[in-house]
């Protein structure tokens, strides 16, 4: 199987060729992927905010932002600068420590989750053996920050929003984890890189979405609920709770909630692309295409093209899913809180359990197709 270009080894070797010691070259490499991931996630937020405004405008037959930069592409940056310089107000009777820690607990785990996302062949910060488990564990921290923010605001609407966020997260984390467990069962690994490798070699026919259609739907619905996207934005629910847990927030603290929300949406779309849509794999197998054209997969230029194509495929699948999420927000009405909880506990949870048992049976019956 084509392993693509090894960026770390190439970078370390390039510095060694300039006469730098190997240990020093490796030390220089360590912060670079982390810095690149932070920049990528932040720029991705700006892109998603711009896409949301343009797609919502098109759905409602409006123009959307158009004055700040070409086609309004600088509008998200302008909004970020505005929030950065706005006055940061803390309510008189709020708990100042919890009020400050809450937004940080929402944002930091989402950024940390990016360390397990493979953007291409060998284009990831680390290949953890428990990568998927780490993501589920980190995603469980964010609701604590939301509940903390709602409780510390000394506002009844904020407290209700925080309680709703905790209830919603607990309700949908279990079906989501069961859907992921079915993928892990087929791949025999919790590593995101191994899960993509298990889908390789057969082009689009090897993707997990064909073997796990129920799991795909459960994961996507649960991911939207975890991101608190419409129709699942009950913790904010402007018509009922003013703005929920973020009612009393202003300035940069308020911006952190939106930053966390959009980073989480992009992360969820990335993980759907990795777990169900083949990750960096193209619809047409690179190995088959190279063999047909008579190309040597070990050639450096072929590996570079394959690695670049893999990154493009991951981003294409991700933003296609983001487009679907934005379109859902502007076409599907909000559900009630009782409907939200009933969907999670009475429908998605039993279906996810049945899907897991069916996957186990198929794995035993057809090991060649279900990773026996």
């Amino acid at each position: 199987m084509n392993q693509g270009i090894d960026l770390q080894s190439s970078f370390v070797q390039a510095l060694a060729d300039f006469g730098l010691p190997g240990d020093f070259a490796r030390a220089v490499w360590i912060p670079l992927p982390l810095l690149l991931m932070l920049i990528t996630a932040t720029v991705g937020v700006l892109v998603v905010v711009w896409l949301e405004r343009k797609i919502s405008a098109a759905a409602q037959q409006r123009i959307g932002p158009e004055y700040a930069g070409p086609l309004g592409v600088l509008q998200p940056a302008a909004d970020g600068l505005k929030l950065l310089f706005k006055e940061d107000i803390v309510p008189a009777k709020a708990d100042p420590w919890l009020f400050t820690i809450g937004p940080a607990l929402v944002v930091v785990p989402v950024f940390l989750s990016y360390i397990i996302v493979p953007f291409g062949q060998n284009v990831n910060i680390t290949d953890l053996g428990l990568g998927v488990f780490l993501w589920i564990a980190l995603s469980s921290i964010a609701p604590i920050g939301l509940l903390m923010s709602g409780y510390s605001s000394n506002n009844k609407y904020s407290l209700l929003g925080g309680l709703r966020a905790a209830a919603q997260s607990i309700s949908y984390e279990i079906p989501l984890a069961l859907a992921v467990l079915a993928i892990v069962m087929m791949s025999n690994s919790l590593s995101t890189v191994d899960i993509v490798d298990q889908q390789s070699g057969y082009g689009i026919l090897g993707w997990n979405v064909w073997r796990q259609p129920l799991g795909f739907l459960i994961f996507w619905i649960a991911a939207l609920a975890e991101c608190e996207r419409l129709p699942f934005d009950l913790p904010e629910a402007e018509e009922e709770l003013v703005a929920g847990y973020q009612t009393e927030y202003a300035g940069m603290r308020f911006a952190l909630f939106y930053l966390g929300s959009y980073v989480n949406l992009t992360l969820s779309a990335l993980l759907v692309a990795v777990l169900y849509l083949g990750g960096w794999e193209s619809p047409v197998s690179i190995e088959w295409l190279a063999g047909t054209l008579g190309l040597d997969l070990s050639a450096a230029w072929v590996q570079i093209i394959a690695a670049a194509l893999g990154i493009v495929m991951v981003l294409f699948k991700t933003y296609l899913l983001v487009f679907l999420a934005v379109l859902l927000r502007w076409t599907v009405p909000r559900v009630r809180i009782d409907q939200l909880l009933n969907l999670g506990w009475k429908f998605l949870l039993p279906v996810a359990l049945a899907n897991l048992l069916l996957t186990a049976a198929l794995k035993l019956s057809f090991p060649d197709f279900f990773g026996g």
Side-chain angles (χ1 to χ4, degrees):
M1 184 171 54
N2 179 25
Q3 294 299 320
I5 182 172
D6 190 342
L7 293 179
Q8 179 176 355
S9 299
S10 301
F11 180 84
V12 172
Q13 184 60 44
L15 291 183
D17 291 341
F18 281 107
L20 295 176
D23 292 338
F24 179 78
R26 281 187 285 273
V28 172
W29 164 263
I30 290 173
L32 289 182
L34 297 172
L35 182 61
L36 181 61
M37 199 61 66
L38 285 174
I39 295 172
T40 302
T42 306
V43 172
V45 168
L46 299 179
V47 173
V48 172
V49 171
W50 179 80
L51 281 175
E52 175 138 42
R53 292 186 169 189
K54 280 296 186 180
I55 295 168
S56 63
Q60 299 173 350
Q61 295 184 342
R62 297 184 288 108
I63 297 175
E66 61 175 337
Y67 295 112
L71 299 176
V73 293
L74 296 180
Q75 189 62 51
D79 293 338
L81 287 174
K82 177 190 72 174
L83 289 170
L84 183 63
F85 289 105
K86 285 190 73 172
E87 183 181 1
D88 189 10
I89 300 172
V90 179
K93 295 186 178 181
D95 187 308
W97 284 103
L98 297 183
F99 194 79
T100 302
I101 295 172
L105 277 181
V106 174
V107 174
V108 172
V110 182
F111 275 99
L112 287 177
S113 299
Y114 272 80
I115 66 174
I116 60 124
V117 177
F119 284 86
Q121 294 167 325
N122 296 307
V123 186
N124 58 321
I125 294 180
T126 181
D127 178 15
L128 292 176
L130 296 174
V132 176
F133 178 79
L134 175 65
W135 168 64
I136 293 175
L138 288 172
S139 66
S140 303
I141 299 175
I144 300 174
L146 299 179
L147 183 58
M148 188 182 295
S149 302
Y151 173 77
S152 64
S153 296
N154 192 33
N155 181 308
K156 294 178 181 178
Y157 295 110
S158 298
L159 178 59
L160 285 173
L163 291 172
R164 281 187 178 187
Q168 181 170 319
S169 176
I170 293 170
S171 300
Y172 284 87
E173 271 180 6
I174 300 173
L176 185 144
L178 291 174
V180 172
L181 191 58
I183 293 291
V184 170
M185 187 183 296
M186 291 196 308
S187 305
N188 301 309
S189 174
L190 284 163
S191 165
T192 50
V193 175
D194 291 343
I195 290 172
V196 176
D197 286 340
Q198 180 256 341
Q199 302 174 67
S200 64
Y202 300 98
I204 194 172
L205 297 178
W207 295 357
N208 281 332
V209 67
W210 309 118
R211 289 173 287 185
Q212 286 289 316
L214 274 179
F216 171 76
L217 291 175
I218 293 167
F219 187 98
W220 186 232
I221 293 171
L224 290 178
E226 289 280 317
C227 297
E228 297 166 15
R229 300 281 302 179
L230 265 165
F232 303 115
D233 66 334
L234 273 298
E236 295 94 346
E238 292 87 352
E239 294 90 341
E240 307 161 41
L241 304 180
V242 187
Y245 55 81
Q246 53 196 3
T247 301
E248 299 292 346
Y249 281 87
M252 201 57 206
R253 288 191 181 100
F254 178 79
L256 285 177
F257 285 120
Y258 275 89
L259 178 64
S261 174
Y262 281 105
V263 172
N264 200 11
L265 174 62
T266 309
L267 175 67
S268 299
L270 276 167
L271 287 168
V272 172
V274 167
L275 297 178
Y276 292 96
L277 301 180
W280 63 76
E281 291 293 324
S282 302
V284 179
S285 172
I286 295 294
E287 289 81 0
W288 178 85
L289 188 62
T292 303
L293 298 176
L295 301 176
D296 182 10
L297 278 175
S298 62
W301 69 273
V302 175
Q303 290 198 354
I304 291 173
I305 291 176
L309 182 61
I311 297 173
V312 170
M313 289 306 303
V314 170
L315 294 178
F316 173 76
K317 295 169 186 175
T318 299
Y319 282 101
L320 178 62
L321 291 165
V322 168
F323 171 78
L324 293 176
V326 173
L327 207 58
L328 277 173
R329 173 176 181 175
W330 296 100
T331 53
V332 180
R334 175 189 285 124
V335 299
R336 298 194 312 266
I337 184 65
D338 60 312
Q339 294 172 331
L340 176 85
L341 297 178
N342 284 340
L343 176 65
W345 290 106
K346 295 184 179 180
F347 181 75
L348 288 184
L349 180 58
V351 172
L353 281 170
N355 179 68
L356 184 62
L357 294 174
L358 180 62
T359 302
L362 291 172
K363 181 181 173 71
L364 294 174
S365 304
F366 304 101
D368 292 336
F369 297 100
F370 289 89

